[in-house]
């Protein structure tokens, strides 16, 4: 075991896979010599050579299209999109191509690409360095969508993503790179050494995709969340003192139905929290799953706490972000219903 | 990376800049043509006959600061002086804003040091009524068109006087009254939009020109290629500018295909007249821009210009170039500093002096200081007055929708 922050864990997963599988190739904007704008690929080019780890032209469309092509010719590409806010030029290659190659060829062809991309706000990045576009991709049949909330999961899930023979979109909540974030931007930052999930095995291990994790067991209320909000929700639960069960989905598509359904059937109450905007967001899907499967066990209306239905405004980052206070208010409403 | 290192027959070619930290880049590999080498064609020329201009380098100022060659169009000393002033103001403004970032007053900044001639000369060669679809490094155009420093500062501070209402990162300006389109953080999107603007202008039979800018790295984006194809197809009055400053964050222009040919040559494939210009030569940028604008206004259509320059500044305040390029690379850049070159030329022709220059720098420094004091009275990102918080729910559509009204109430506003 070693102490790692989330970036080190992501770096370690990539290193591990470069060592184990000669077909793994890692590329994207600034990932080669420089090691990525967040340093998530630091040192990989020096260690594994530029044939395997390299910079690409600034074309998200080109990055994903060529990744697909490489995979068809036997490689296992791991492509970085520098910010998930910049993934849209690649949308056609993801939504119409990567996601459907297996289906449309009757299973003859398939692509194994992994797309890593930082997401989420909280770093004063303004509207083009803060987005959480996961809901746009969970709507697509044929691409797996993963979002870890801590270093241990990040490494295990990234290894599974790279090993998967299906395309995977791996979102990295950038606010969590250097430490857990409990929702107070004015609190001094703390590192992952304060969190048990900052303990990460140095070697290979994997966490199956589509297995949610119950990060806190409880009886009164189920809170379903993922990414940065896992920690924010934890704060709200502490502040309200409610005996909540917190589910960190970790993988949004495919989704772990059993963990969600069993928990909500047990508690009879449910809150869904995500940083992304509300309308058509992934929370709406979770609510539907619950109403389809747990309706007769519900004791209160299900609520959603999300980012507002607007772009991430630079000056109002913390009015936009679903802070613990907003989560707490929703918890209280549900408990008093 | 040599091709023969590995036992494999066919290695993947990975482009690498010639020099990295710890090495010295003397740029000996760059061929810098003399000022008299590039001919100046008529604006109604056949683009096929001027292809050489995409591979050469249009220059007017020689190393001694003397103007010459076919592209020397005898710009009046008044315009040259105006250019020098705007470039100086741009540089001093950048320095001041960078400093503000260090003190935590703003969250982010991007300088254009070493690239000032491109925005300023281009702006002066066009009319203020011409439309600009800018990149994020065109602050020189705003300054040259007279956008108040106070407005620029308030945008960077995201304060109560910020016309973008606190929604955008610093430097992502928008100035409709100045015909300056809102800057996007998503690279290259403006490039093809500009072509569309010009297509509408042609349809209207107007005589305004549209100009747009993109970086060397951003030429890889799909929007760059859409822009060229549409410009070649509809031939509207647009000037497509590529600012090749050698770097795209840590990626050298070789990673954008710069090893094979020039960026100006991208235009040849689609049949556009394409010029490659010494971007640190105010007189050359002005002449090339004027040529392109004259063509567009006379109905001859689109022109591509590559401005060959060097990004002296870090990419942004989030960047440390010492990690990927030689520390003294900017000092060795063979095309020199655009401000110094224009200053030397103006002094050579007795239209400027060191004393005047020093005095102007002092005056601008004082002005910037005073403007900043005023800007801060409208608040900063972290203190004082801010834009109205409830305004963040507005401008999604023309009319606010019920869900957003509810969300605004939920926030207690
Ligand atoms: C679509 C998109 N992809 C990636 C980025 C991240 N990014 C911002 S600036 C930049 C480099 C651009 O370099 P260049 O086009 O050469 O312009 P310069 O910064 O040199 O002026 C990158 C990769 C972005 N803003 N938008
Ligand atoms: Mg560049």
């Amino acid at each position: 075991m070693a102490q790692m922050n989330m970036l080190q864990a992501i770096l370690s997963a990539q290193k591990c896979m470069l060592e184990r599988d000669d077909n793994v190739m890692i590329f994207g904007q600034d990932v080669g010599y420089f090691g990525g704008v967040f340093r998530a690929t630091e040192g990989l080019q020096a260690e594994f050579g530029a044939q395997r780890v390299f910079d690409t032209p600034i074309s998200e469309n080109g990055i994903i299209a060529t990744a697909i092509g490489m995979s068809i010719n036997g490689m296992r590409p791991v492509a970085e999109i520098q910010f998930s806010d910049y993934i849209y030029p690649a949308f056609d290659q993801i939504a119409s191509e990567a996601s459907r190659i297996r289906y449309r060829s009757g299973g003859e062809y398939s692509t194994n690409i992994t797309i890593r991309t930082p997401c989420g706000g909280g770093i004063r990045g303004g509207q083009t360095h803060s987005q959480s576009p996961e809901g746009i991709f969970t709507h697509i049949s044929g691409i797996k969508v993963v979002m870890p909330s801590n270093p241990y999961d990040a490494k295990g899930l990234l290894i599974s993503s790279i090993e998967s023979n299906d395309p995977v979109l791996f979102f990295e909540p950038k606010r969590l790179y250097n430490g857990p974030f409990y929702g107070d931007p004015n609190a001094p930052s703390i590192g992952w050494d304060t969190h048990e999930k900052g303990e990460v095995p140095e070697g290979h291990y994997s966490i199956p995709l589509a297995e949610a994790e119950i990060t806190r067991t409880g009886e009164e209320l189920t809170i379903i969340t993922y990414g940065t909000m896992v920690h924010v929700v934890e704060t709200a639960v502490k502040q309200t003192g409610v005996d909540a069960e917190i589910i960190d989905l970790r993988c949004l598509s495919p989704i772990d139905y059993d963990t969600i359904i069993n928990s909500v059937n047990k508690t009879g109450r449910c809150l869904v929290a995500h940083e992304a905007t509300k309308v058509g967001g992934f929370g709406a899907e979770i609510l539907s799953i619950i109403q389809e499967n747990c309706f007769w066990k519900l004791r209160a209306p299900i609520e959603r706490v999300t980012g507002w239905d607007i772009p991430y405004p630079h000056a109002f980052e913390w009015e936009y972000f679903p802070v613990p206070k907003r989560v707490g208010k929703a918890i209280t409403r549900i408990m008093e219903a | 990376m040599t091709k023969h290192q590995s036992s494999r027959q066919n290695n993947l070619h990975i482009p690498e800049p010639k020099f990295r930290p710890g090495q010295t880049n003397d740029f000996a590999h760059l061929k810098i043509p003399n000022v008299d080498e590039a001919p100046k064609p008529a604006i109604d020329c056949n683009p096929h006959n001027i292809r050489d201009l995409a591979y050469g380098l249009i220059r007017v100022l020689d190393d001694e600061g003397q103007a010459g060659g076919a592209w020397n169009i005898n710009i009046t000393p008044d315009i040259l002086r105006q250019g020098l002033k705007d470039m100086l103001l741009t540089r001093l403004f950048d320095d001041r804003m960078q400093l503000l970032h260090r003190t935590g007053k703003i969250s982010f900044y991007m300088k254009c040091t070493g690239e000032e001639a491109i925005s300023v000369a281009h702006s002066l060669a066009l009319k203020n009524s011409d439309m600009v679809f800018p990149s994020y490094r065109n602050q020189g155009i705003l300054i040259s068109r007279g956008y108040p420093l106070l407005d620029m500062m308030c945008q960077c501070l995201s304060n109560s006087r910020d016309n973008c209402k606190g929604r955008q990162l610093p430097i992502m300006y928008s100035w409709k009254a100045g015909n300056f389109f809102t800057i996007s953080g998503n690279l290259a999107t403006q490039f093809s939009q500009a072509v569309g603007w010009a297509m509408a202008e042609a349809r209207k039979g107007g005589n305004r020109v549209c100009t747009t800018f993109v970086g060397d790295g951003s030429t890889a984006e799909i929007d760059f290629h859409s822009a060229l194809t549409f410009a070649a197809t509809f031939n509207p009055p647009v000037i497509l500018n590529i600012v090749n400053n050698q770097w795209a964050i840590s990626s050298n222009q070789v990673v954008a295909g710069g090893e094979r040919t020039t960026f100006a040559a991208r235009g040849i494939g689609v049949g556009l007249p394409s010029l490659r210009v010494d971007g640190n030569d105010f007189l050359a940028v002005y002449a090339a821009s004027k040529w392109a604008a004259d063509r567009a206004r006379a109905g001859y259509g689109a022109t591509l210009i590559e401005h060959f320059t060097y990004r002296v500044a870090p990419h942004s305040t989030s960047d440390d170039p010492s990690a990927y390029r030689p520390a003294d690379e900017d000092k060795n850049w063979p095309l020199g500093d655009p401000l110094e070159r224009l200053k030397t030329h103006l002094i050579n022709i007795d239209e400027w002096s060191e004393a005047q220059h020093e005095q102007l720098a002092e005056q601008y420094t004082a002005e910037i200081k005073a403007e900043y004091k005023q800007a801060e009275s409208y608040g900063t990102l972290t203190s004082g007055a801010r834009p109205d918080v409830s305004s963040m729910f507005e401008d999604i559509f023309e009319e606010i929708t019920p869900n957003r009204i509810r969300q605004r109430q939920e926030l207690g506003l």
Side-chain angles (χ1 to χ4, degrees), chain A residues 30 51 60 309 314-315 319, chain B residues 12 107 166 221 250 386 404:
Chain A
D30 302 296
Q51 291 282 302
E60 292 73 19
D309 287 319
H314 177 247
E319 284 82 0
Chain B
L12 176 61
S107 62
E221 292 285 9
S250 79
R386 313 163 73 205
R404 296 182 178 91

Side-chain angles (χ1 to χ4, degrees), chain A residues 60 82 86, chain B residues 136-137 185 187 215-218 221 245 247-248 315:
Chain A
E60 292 73 19
Q82 199 164 81
Y86 302 139
Chain B
Y136 46 74
R137 241 185 264 284
L187 295 172
D216 47 300
S218 304
E221 292 285 9
N245 63 7
W247 292 95
H315 172 71

